[in-house]
Amino acid sequence: MDQLLLLESVERYLRNEMNAEERKHFEDLRKNNPELDQLVVEHHFFLEEMDRYGEIKRFKANLYDTHHTLQENGEIKDLTLNVPGKIITLWKKYRRVVAVAASIAGITALVISGIITMVTPKAPIKDIEELRRIVNNLEKKTNSQGRELSDVKKKIEPGTPIRYGGSSFLVDGRGYLITSAHVVQNAAQVFVQNVKGQDFRAEIVYTDELKDLAVLRIKDSDFKAVANIPYGIRKSNTDIAEPIFTLGFPKDEIVYGEGYLSAKTGLKGDTMACQISITANPGNSGGPVLNRNGEVIGILNARQTTAEGVVFAIKSQNILRLVDELKKKDTLYNIKLNTSSSIKNMERVQQVKSIENCIYMVKVVEKK
Amino acid sequence: MTTSAKEQELLKGLANNDKKAIEAIYADNYGLIQHFVINNNGSEDDARDIFQESLIVLYENARSPEFSLNCQIRTYLYSVSRRLWLKKLQYGRRFEAQVESLEDTVPVEEDLETHEKMSRQYGIMRGAMGKIGEPCKSLLEAFYVHHKNMHEIASFFGYTNADNAKNQKYKCLMRLKKLFFAQYKNGN
C-alpha cells in the first residue's frame, strides 16, 4: 500500500498535479532521499515510453482507418489485378530451379532411353518376313551315307560358313534353277543340294530384285542333266480356293506343305504376287507352289508377320517374263521352260516322288 | 532545397496525428510505394505494412522539434520504404537482384536506426501490455493511451468510485513497470 501511495505521489508530481506546498515538500524529500530520486527518474522514463507507446498506437490505428477509408473511397486500389498472378509470381521466383530440374529430368530420360535402345536387340518391325533360312549348323544326318558314296570329294570345304538357306527348283533339265532373289543376295558362293544330300556348285545367272526372283545354274561336273521336268510353269492365273502344295527346305530335309490359294494379290494389293494359306517357315523361300495338276503357280517368298497363316508367293507368270528378259539380254542362256505338266491326274504321293528330285536346297556363303 | 508551405502544413498535421493530413499524405504516396513493393516480389499486405511503417518513421521525426525535412515527403517516404523493403527481402533471403529504382532517394540510414530503437521499445511495451492481461491492459490503455479521466474509467469499468479505479490502476501500473523493465534491461 505504501508502494502504491508512493507511486501515486511520483506520478502526480510528474504530471504536475500537486499544489505548490505539496510540491515543495516532495522536492525536499526527493533531495534527501536518493531512492525516491531514482524512482522519479525511472518513472519519468517509463511515462515517456508509455506516452510514445500511446501515440504510436493511436497513430497506427489512424493509419489503419485511413487505409480503409481511402480504399472505400477508391482513392487507393489493390494492384493485384494489374500484376501477374500468384502462379506467375511463383514461376518468376522459381523458374531457375524449375529449369534446372527440368533439364535434369530431360537428360535422365534421354540417357535412360538411350541405354534402353542400346541394350534392346535390334529387331526391325517389318510387316513381312522373307523366308530364307539363317543356317547355323547344317547337319546332314539323313542321307549322309548315300551322300558319302556318291560324293567322294566334298564340294564344300569343312568349315565353310554357310550363312543362309533357301529352296529352289529346276526349270530346265540342263541345270537352271529358279529361286528367290533375297535368298542369294550378298552371296559369295552358292551351293545347291539335292534331295539325296548331294552338293553341287552353282552360279547366279540373273537376279531381279523387283520380282524377287533369281536364276541359278548348276556348274558342276557331277551334275547329270535331267531329261524331263515333271511339272510345268502355269501361264495363267489360278482361282481362289484352289488347293495347292509346296516342297521346300525349311530344315535339312525336304518338307511337304499343303494349302489353298486365298487371294489373287499379295501384300497391299501387289498384283505380282498372290496370297496363299499354307504353313511356311524360314527356308521355304524360293520353293515352288504347285496346284493339283502339278503346275507351278508361284514361288513362295514371304509371310506376313502381323497376321497368322498369310504367306505370299510370286506368280508364275513372272518366271516366264524373267526368262524372256534373260534371253533378250544374253542368248547364251537359252532356257526352255516346260509349260505342260506330266504328272496330271497322279496320286499326290506319286507327284511328290517325281517332283522332289527337281527341288534343291540353296546354301549361300555370304560375302565378307 | 526547401519544401513547400503545403508540405510543411501536412507535416505539422502528421505530427499532431491529424486525420486530414494523414489522409492527404496517404492518398498521395501510397500508390508509389505499392508499385515499388509489388513489382519487387511483394504482396499487397507487404506494401501496406512497409508504407505504414515509413509513415511512422516520418511521424516520429516530425514530432521532434529539431526535425526539418530537406526533401519532398514523397522522396522521403520512398527512400524509407525502399530501405525497409530491401532489409525485409534480405532477411527473408528472397533477395535476388538489385531492386529497381526509378525514383530519387535520400539517405535515411540514421533515421531508420532511431526508428529501429524506438520500435524495439514499442515492441517491449506492447509485449508487457500483452502479458499483464485484462482488465489491467484496457484500464491502463484507457488512461495512458486514450487519456480518459478516472471518473470515466470508473464508470466504464464498473468501479464504485474513482478512488477504487485509481487504486486498481496503480496496482496494474506496478506490474506493468516490473514487466517492462525486466524486458528492457534484458534487451539492452
Side-chain angles (χ1 to χ4, degrees):
Chain A
M1 207 58 199
D2 280 352
Q3 288 246 324
L4 281 186
L5 279 175
L6 195 62
L7 189 62
E8 194 189 340
S9 313
V10 171
E11 191 160 319
R12 278 175 59 217
Y13 169 72
L14 286 173
R15 292 173 81 97
N16 280 328
E17 285 168 8
M18 290 177 167
N19 56 39
E21 195 184 330
E22 213 177 353
R23 192 177 180 81
K24 190 161 185 315
H25 177 69
F26 188 84
E27 271 169 2
D28 285 344
L29 211 63
R30 190 183 163 190
K31 259 177 216 156
N32 300 327
N33 190 342
E35 266 180 53
L36 180 65
D37 187 48
Q38 169 73 24
L39 187 67
V40 171
V41 172
E42 186 194 88
H43 199 70
H44 180 66
F45 170 76
F46 181 77
L47 283 182
E48 268 185 357
E49 283 299 312
M50 202 64 174
D51 271 352
R52 202 162 50 224
Y53 171 78
E55 277 160 16
I56 299 222
K57 202 173 158 75
R58 268 180 285 131
F59 186 69
K60 276 190 174 175
N62 220 341
L63 287 181
Y64 185 82
D65 289 346
T66 308
H67 192 91
H68 272 266
T69 322
L70 290 177
Q71 214 161 23
E72 272 167 27
N73 296 347
E75 283 182 68
I76 56 173
K77 289 182 199 88
D78 277 3
L79 263 187
T80 359
L81 287 178
N82 308 333
V83 297
K86 186 89 180 157
I87 300 288
I88 294 174
T89 320
L90 281 177
W91 163 247
K92 271 186 182 165
K93 203 189 277 179
Y94 293 112
R95 65 181 155 197
R96 206 174 306 158
V97 180
V98 170
V100 169
S103 24
I104 289 172
I107 289 165
T108 315
L110 278 177
V111 166
I112 289 174
S113 69
I115 289 171
I116 287 171
T117 338
M118 267 169 61
V119 167
T120 43
K122 288 187 181 48
I125 297 157
K126 282 204 297 185
D127 264 4
I128 61 166
E129 175 193 12
E130 291 173 332
L131 293 175
R132 69 173 170 185
R133 188 164 73 135
I134 296 166
V135 183
N136 294 324
N137 186 13
L138 268 183
E139 288 176 43
K140 278 166 277 179
K141 283 183 191 136
T142 45
N143 300 324
S144 59
Q145 284 193 333
R147 182 182 160 199
E148 267 165 35
L149 286 173
S150 60
D151 186 19
V152 181
K153 192 181 143 204
K154 282 189 179 174
K155 304 282 166 18
I156 305 171
E157 297 280 320
T160 308
I162 304 291
R163 187 77 180 93
Y164 298 113
S167 307
S168 66
F169 57 100
L170 278 177
V171 287
D172 187 314
R174 290 170 295 173
Y176 290 99
L177 296 153
I178 292 285
T179 187
S180 294
H182 70 260
V183 170
V184 291
Q185 74 182 7
N186 281 333
Q189 263 184 304
V190 178
F191 295 93
V192 293
Q193 182 189 324
N194 68 10
V195 78
K196 289 170 191 141
Q198 202 175 357
D199 284 322
F200 302 101
R201 277 190 206 92
E203 62 170 9
I204 302 166
V205 173
Y206 188 68
T207 54
D208 186 333
E209 303 272 338
L210 197 71
K211 294 192 180 78
D212 194 19
L213 286 176
V215 181
L216 308 180
R217 186 187 188 184
I218 299 172
K219 276 202 132 183
D220 201 301
S221 50
D222 288 342
F223 177 72
K224 291 182 186 73
V226 178
N228 284 316
I229 309 274
Y231 43 80
I233 312 292
R234 194 178 162 93
K235 286 175 179 171
S236 53
N237 271 332
T238 313
D239 290 322
I240 284 180
E242 201 171 323
I244 46 132
F245 68 96
T246 187
L247 285 162
F249 289 91
K251 58 185 213 170
D252 291 328
E253 275 179 86
I254 196 158
V255 171
Y256 170 83
E258 219 176 62
Y260 51 87
L261 189 97
S262 45
K264 281 185 179 179
T265 57
L267 184 73
K268 293 172 186 162
D270 177 10
T271 50
M272 275 207 322
C274 57
Q275 185 183 324
I276 54 178
S277 186
I278 202 162
T279 311
N281 287 301
N284 268 117
S285 257
V289 179
L290 302 108
N291 65 11
R292 65 174 156 224
N293 291 334
E295 290 173 316
V296 176
I297 62 143
I299 304 94
L300 202 150
N301 80 327
R303 71 176 172 195
Q304 193 166 356
T305 49
T306 52
E308 199 66 38
V310 176
V311 178
F312 299 107
I314 303 294
K315 284 177 187 167
S316 55
Q317 289 97 317
N318 291 303
I319 302 176
L320 301 168
R321 281 187 213 121
L322 185 80
V323 168
D324 278 347
E325 278 169 32
L326 188 57
K327 270 179 193 165
K328 273 179 206 155
K329 201 179 138 206
D330 198 338
T331 45
L332 183 67
Y333 304 114
N334 189 15
I335 299 172
K336 282 183 184 120
L337 291 178
N338 181 20
T339 51
S340 61
S341 164
S342 59
I343 47 172
K344 230 176 184 175
N345 303 324
M346 273 168 73
E347 286 281 319
R348 184 57 54 83
V349 182
Q350 296 306 314
Q351 285 181 327
V352 170
K353 252 183 195 160
S354 49
I355 295 168
E356 66 174 11
N357 290 321
C358 297
I359 311 295
Y360 286 77
M361 186 203 289
V362 183
K363 303 180 196 174
V364 174
V365 180
E366 201 180 14
K367 269 183 202 153
K368 289 279 149 51
Chain B
M1 212 202 298
T2 54
T3 49
S4 71
K6 196 188 161 211
E7 295 233 310
Q8 289 293 351
E9 201 65 28
L10 284 176
L11 277 179
K12 214 181 267 175
L14 184 75
N16 294 326
N17 204 353
D18 173 54
K19 226 176 163 81
K20 278 252 158 57
I22 291 175
E23 254 183 47
I25 295 175
Y26 211 108
D28 279 350
N29 300 291
Y30 182 64
L32 175 72
I33 277 67
Q34 185 188 30
H35 262 284
F36 167 74
V37 171
I38 286 171
N39 284 335
N40 288 290
N41 287 333
S43 69
E44 196 68 43
D45 287 346
D46 287 332
R48 197 193 55 214
D49 290 349
I50 291 292
F51 180 66
Q52 293 195 353
E53 198 170 346
S54 73
L55 276 178
I56 291 170
V57 175
L58 186 62
Y59 170 75
E60 281 164 352
N61 279 314
R63 286 177 67 79
S64 77
E66 64 265 31
F67 174 75
S68 72
L69 193 64
N70 53 4
C71 63
Q72 285 190 326
I73 293 179
R74 186 183 181 77
T75 313
Y76 185 81
L77 287 178
Y78 179 76
S79 307
V80 173
S81 295
R82 189 168 177 275
R83 290 290 326 156
L84 287 172
W85 183 236
L86 275 176
K87 217 166 182 180
K88 196 164 178 194
L89 282 180
Q90 273 168 330
Y91 183 73
R93 288 171 194 281
R94 289 197 279 168
F95 187 66
E96 274 180 346
Q98 203 64 40
V99 165
E100 54 183 84
S101 171
L102 302 169
E103 294 280 323
D104 285 343
T105 56
V106 290
V108 289
E109 274 71 16
E110 270 179 45
D111 290 355
L112 281 179
E113 264 172 44
T114 337
H115 167 70
E116 227 168 76
K117 200 177 145 212
M118 284 191 174
S119 72
R120 198 168 54 237
Q121 285 170 5
Y122 176 82
I124 294 171
M125 188 61 87
R126 201 179 54 181
M129 277 286 195
K131 276 184 202 158
I132 57 170
E134 297 292 355
C136 277
K137 189 180 175 216
S138 303
L139 193 84
L140 289 175
E141 281 193 350
F143 187 80
Y144 290 101
V145 177
H146 304 296
H147 300 304
K148 301 267 195 298
N149 64 46
M150 286 326 285
H151 290 289
E152 286 172 321
I153 291 172
S155 64
F156 186 78
F157 288 91
Y159 294 103
T160 45
N161 55 47
D163 274 348
N164 269 352
K166 207 186 271 180
N167 244 331
Q168 185 60 40
K169 189 203 94 180
Y170 284 117
K171 273 186 196 163
C172 289
L173 192 61
M174 294 257 292
R175 282 179 50 209
L176 182 67
K177 275 181 78 174
K178 210 175 261 175
L179 281 167
F180 175 80
F181 282 109
Q183 191 66 40
Y184 186 76
K185 275 163 196 157
N186 264 353
N188 293 339

